[in-house]
Amino acid sequence: MSTYVLLPGFWLGAWAWRSVAADLRSRGHDVHPLSLTGMGERAHLARPDTDLETHVTDVLNLIRYEDLHDVVLVGHSYAGAVVVPSVADRMPERIARLVFIDSGPLPDGMSHAQFVPPEQQARNAELVRTVGDGWRLSPPSWPQLAAGVPGLPGGTLERLAQLSVPQPWATATTPVRLTEAWEKLPRLHVLCSFGAEQVRAKAGTVPAFRHMAAEGWAYRELLGWHWPMFDRPGELAAILHEAA
């Protein structure tokens, strides 16, 4: 049996991991999907000052108060980029392995908002200002993002529309602060919207990809939608099971 902590990306809560968590539990694992502050069933706790540090503290407290050890720490998208390495950097003695789902750890001093091109950064900032009361980024159009994605179970888009909530923008604009402690841990990268060759090609010229091609990485390709917990939950659960 292994212990998993599952962290969702933007707009989502623990509910997004339901199928993956059920599969892992059926294999005998201890599984802890977490809704970060302001997300999922904790949406009512969102505030303008809910930032990256808040979300890092959420995970540290889960590990501490549940007395978890040898944790396989799994982060999708935003959570993989900044929350997972931050937690591992501060509590490496409790972590057995890091798993990044279609994301990778950003360098020290970079914020998640800076990962996208300047034009998209400007669009997001304008959406936050005009639609999000100056501090929230609304969920996207899920049908538009899922256009052409095969194999989505019935009701998935309806659940996404009903349960996704605005992301507190300070979580995206807070720079990640890291030492090198997290880099000593084993790492697995599950690639969905881009492949290993693309990662290696970008790592030499794009700072955000620097850690994603570092020595010691393991890669698994699960090419498809950016949200594999919805379109390929069984295959994702099998990869996580093998990773432990």
Side-chain angles (χ1 to χ4, degrees):
M1 184 186 77
S2 294
T3 299
Y4 292 83
V5 171
L6 308 179
L7 307 178
F10 267 17
W11 307 298
L12 308 180
W15 61 269
W17 294 105
R18 187 174 302 162
S19 296
V20 173
D23 190 312
L24 290 172
R25 287 173 180 140
S26 74
R27 299 171 189 261
H29 299 299
D30 184 26
V31 187
H32 299 262
L34 179 63
S35 290
L36 301 169
T37 296
M39 315 309 297
E41 75 279 7
R42 305 178 69 205
H44 61 290
L45 300 177
R47 299 174 10 155
D49 61 352
T50 301
D51 62 3
L52 173 60
E53 186 64 24
T54 308
H55 286 176
V56 171
T57 302
D58 286 335
V59 187
L60 293 172
N61 282 345
L62 172 70
I63 294 172
R64 182 178 297 114
Y65 284 94
E66 293 293 330
D67 195 26
L68 304 181
H69 296 265
D70 298 321
V71 172
V72 180
L73 185 59
V74 182
H76 170 252
S77 196
Y78 152 78
V82 289
V83 182
V84 162
S86 298
V87 171
D89 205 58
R90 301 185 199 186
M91 200 179 272
E93 71 281 1
R94 296 286 191 100
I95 310 298
R97 181 177 298 274
L98 308 177
V99 182
F100 300 87
I101 308 297
D102 215 31
S103 69
L106 297 182
D108 176 61
M110 187 176 183
S111 71
H112 186 266
Q114 293 174 306
F115 180 72
V116 299
E119 303 79 26
Q120 187 173 342
Q121 292 182 40
R123 285 195 298 271
N124 287 341
E126 183 65 8
L127 285 172
V128 170
R129 186 184 71 82
T130 58
V131 181
D133 300 320
W135 65 276
R136 296 177 294 186
L137 181 67
S138 297
S141 167
W142 295 109
Q144 182 177 344
L145 288 179
V149 176
L152 274 181
T156 298
L157 295 181
E158 289 78 5
R159 287 183 66 223
L160 281 163
Q162 292 170 1
L163 300 180
S164 60
V165 298
Q167 182 81 19
W169 191 233
T171 63
T173 58
T174 307
V176 65
R177 297 300 179 195
L178 301 171
T179 69
E180 297 179 352
W182 72 273
E183 297 185 42
K184 300 178 177 64
L185 294 166
R187 290 166 274 169
L188 172 67
H189 193 116
V190 182
L191 302 166
C192 304
S193 54
F194 47 85
E197 288 304 316
Q198 290 173 280
V199 170
R200 295 187 186 100
K202 290 184 177 182
T205 56
V206 182
F209 281 80
R210 176 168 59 87
H211 287 304
M212 296 173 68
E215 189 174 341
W217 273 91
Y219 292 93
R220 287 293 301 273
E221 291 191 347
L222 188 62
L223 299 179
W225 206 30
H226 178 59
W227 292 270
M229 64 281 291
F230 295 116
D231 69 326
R232 303 175 77 175
E235 291 168 85
L236 178 57
I239 290 173
L240 295 178
H241 170 70
E242 293 166 8

